[in-house]
Amino acid sequence: MTESIMKRDDFVPFVYGMDHSEGVAWGPDGYVYAGGEAGQIYRGSLDDGICEEIGNIGADVLGIRQDADAKDYACSEGKGAVFRKTQEGEVSVYP
């Protein structure tokens, strides 16, 4: 029998408060970003483990990225589109 290198109890959350996080990405601003199954776009701090909902596209977010201008891009299978969220919170379908 082979002994595993890591056990389930060895893992701990690094950010708290996300709802079914999907498509976790590291932003150039030093925050971690993730989407939620109800359309949430989250930003979390690895320093204190706190996250906040910074936007919502109204459908599942299965992947997320951030560009150098801090715009978030979230893809949704449910809406069949990629959405862009600006720092001001404006959400639109990405062409």
Side-chain angles (χ1 to χ4, degrees):
M1 194 159 94
T2 305
E3 195 172 317
S4 67
I5 296 171
M6 295 186 80
K7 296 176 180 59
R8 186 171 153 188
D9 292 340
D10 293 335
F11 294 92
V12 295
F14 54 86
V15 175
Y16 297 89
M18 293 182 182
D19 173 33
H20 297 91
S21 56
E22 298 270 357
V24 177
W26 185 263
D29 58 359
Y31 287 92
V32 64
Y33 290 81
E37 71 176 353
Q40 307 97 320
I41 298 175
Y42 293 111
R43 177 178 64 198
S45 169
L46 299 181
D47 293 333
D48 57 15
I50 296 173
C51 82
E52 62 180 321
E53 184 176 331
I54 59 169
N56 195 306
I57 65 168
D60 60 332
V61 176
L62 298 178
I64 193 162
R65 292 292 177 263
Q66 189 180 71
D67 68 16
D69 295 325
K71 292 182 185 118
D72 300 302
Y73 297 84
C75 66
S76 170
E77 180 182 30
K79 291 216 174 179
V82 174
F83 294 84
R84 176 175 51 203
K85 186 198 75 58
T86 66
Q87 282 188 328
E88 294 77 29
E90 298 171 20
V91 176
S92 61
V93 174
Y94 183 68

